[in-house]
Amino acid sequence: MSNTADNTVSKVAVDSINVLSGADPVELDRRAAFMQQYASSPLPDTEQLQNLGLYINRPALSRLLFMHELYQKIVDVHGVIMEFGVRWGQNLVLFSNFRGIYEPYNYNRKIIGFDTFSGFPSVDEKDGTMVAAGDYGVTANYDDYLAALLDYHESESPIAHKQKYQLIKGDATNSFAQYLTDHPETIVAFAYFDFDIYLPTCHCLELLLPRLTKGSVLAFDELNCPEFPGETIALLEVIGLSKYAIKRSPLNPLISYLIVE
Ligand SMILES: C[S@@+](CC[C@H](N)C(=O)[O-])C[C@H]1O[C@@H](n2cnc3c(N)ncnc32)[C@H](O)[C@@H]1O
């Protein structure tokens, strides 16, 4: 692992996967030690899944609770869920399980994730200086692994024989338009924007707008975030900041959302 800047946010590289981290060296060391405790858990395999709360830390738990808060806002809104920028896919799994809990018979609530599964295809000058093409990659063939995880989670809820998720691999600046051509019926109840960068956010937001209905929720992972200015610039250009209230929750300092009125 290398930590290449002494700024409050720095680029961290592990096995050639580059991400930005706001953790300081003390936090990184503490978490590395905790990972060892996790890796050497004395719990038998048969009891690990029921006891994951032993290992989920406060920031990760807050994030998960916020996803739950967002999901509850769209239970009575018709349409699919889309995540723009999936990476390891935790949100897709959470959404799949929230569907199983709150609307187990709503097989119309498809969950669609867009990602290259190889990190940022390029960056724009509007994205500033902290990010580069290839950042936020994943391991080889990760989309296959994620599909298997999503299959398992669907199998734990009703109507498991219908696949209700789709992973769209590739540059979303092309693949989202193709998805809409292939699925002209699409209404979007909830879109989670987490590309982090300008160009795909701008492009997908433009295509998404006519697919929203009153009550649709648009959430953003990085608005007002100095390390990723491109996401805010895209929102400014496509929707503006004054048309909708941009809301937040005490659960997370960065994630924000708006509800179409
Ligand atoms: C910060 S990560 C997403 C994290 C994920 N939403 C989560 O909560 O764990 C950003 C993702 O956006 C993807 N991405 C960025 N630009 C893209 C593009 N033009 N097309 C498809 N995926 C893109 C990257 O590959 C990366 O996986």
Side-chain angles (χ1 to χ4, degrees):
M1 181 188 294
S2 69
N3 201 334
T4 54
D6 61 359
N7 206 343
T8 48
V9 172
S10 54
K11 194 166 272 195
V12 176
V14 180
D15 298 335
S16 334
I17 295 178
N18 296 334
V19 298
L20 296 187
S21 171
D24 71 12
V26 175
E27 278 181 302
L28 290 174
D29 286 349
R30 190 168 58 225
R31 287 175 190 168
F34 186 60
M35 271 309 297
Q36 289 308 313
Q37 278 181 288
Y38 175 56
S40 58
S41 167
L43 275 70
D45 285 355
T46 48
E47 296 197 47
Q48 293 259 351
L49 291 182
Q50 297 101 303
N51 287 286
L52 282 179
L54 287 171
Y55 302 106
I56 187 163
N57 65 9
R58 193 266 313 153
L61 179 60
S62 298
R63 197 176 173 83
L64 189 154
L65 291 173
F66 197 4
M67 293 303 145
H68 179 247
E69 202 169 283
L70 290 173
Y71 196 100
Q72 287 183 311
K73 295 180 192 302
I74 58 106
V75 171
D76 67 352
V77 182
H78 201 47
V80 301
I81 296 173
M82 289 183 165
E83 183 171 40
F84 296 98
V86 166
R87 202 154 185 253
W88 303 116
Q90 172 171 257
N91 288 343
L92 297 187
V93 168
L94 290 174
F95 300 151
S96 174
N97 285 329
F98 295 149
R99 178 184 55 205
I101 295 165
Y102 290 109
E103 39 182 7
Y105 301 104
N106 187 5
Y107 61 80
N108 190 252
R109 183 80 78 199
K110 303 246 165 49
I111 298 170
I112 304 125
F114 295 86
D115 209 298
T116 58
F117 294 103
S118 55
F120 301 155
S122 60
V123 292
D124 189 275
E125 59 184 24
K126 291 179 178 165
D127 293 312
T129 54
M130 301 260 335
V131 291
D135 287 356
Y136 288 85
V138 288
T139 46
N141 304 317
Y142 183 75
D143 52 314
D144 293 336
Y145 180 81
L146 177 58
L149 292 184
L150 288 161
D151 286 339
Y152 163 73
H153 288 291
E154 280 198 342
S155 78
E156 293 275 11
S157 289
I159 322 191
H161 64 284
K162 282 185 189 285
Q163 184 177 315
K164 298 176 288 298
Y165 73 86
Q166 216 175 330
L167 299 177
I168 312 286
K169 185 175 182 172
D171 186 338
T173 50
N174 307 316
S175 62
F176 185 38
Q178 185 60 50
Y179 180 89
L180 292 174
T181 302
D182 296 342
H183 299 275
E185 75 283 2
T186 301
I187 298 172
V188 179
F190 178 23
Y192 195 87
F193 274 90
D194 198 4
F195 286 138
D196 294 350
I197 54 174
Y198 171 73
L199 204 62
T201 307
C202 195
H203 192 82
C204 293
L205 255 183
E206 269 168 358
L207 290 176
L208 185 72
L209 287 184
R211 303 296 177 148
L212 303 175
T213 182
K214 288 189 178 172
S216 293
V217 172
L218 282 191
F220 298 88
D221 210 82
E222 262 89 24
L223 290 188
N224 200 41
C225 178
E227 292 79 26
F228 298 102
E231 194 172 295
T232 309
I233 296 170
L235 178 65
L236 258 172
E237 289 180 5
V238 179
I239 299 182
L241 297 180
S242 53
K243 186 166 181 191
Y244 300 109
I246 298 175
K247 303 202 174 249
R248 64 175 301 271
S249 156
L251 290 167
N252 188 284
L254 282 180
I255 304 171
S256 59
Y257 66 95
L258 60 86
I259 301 178
V260 175
E261 292 146 6

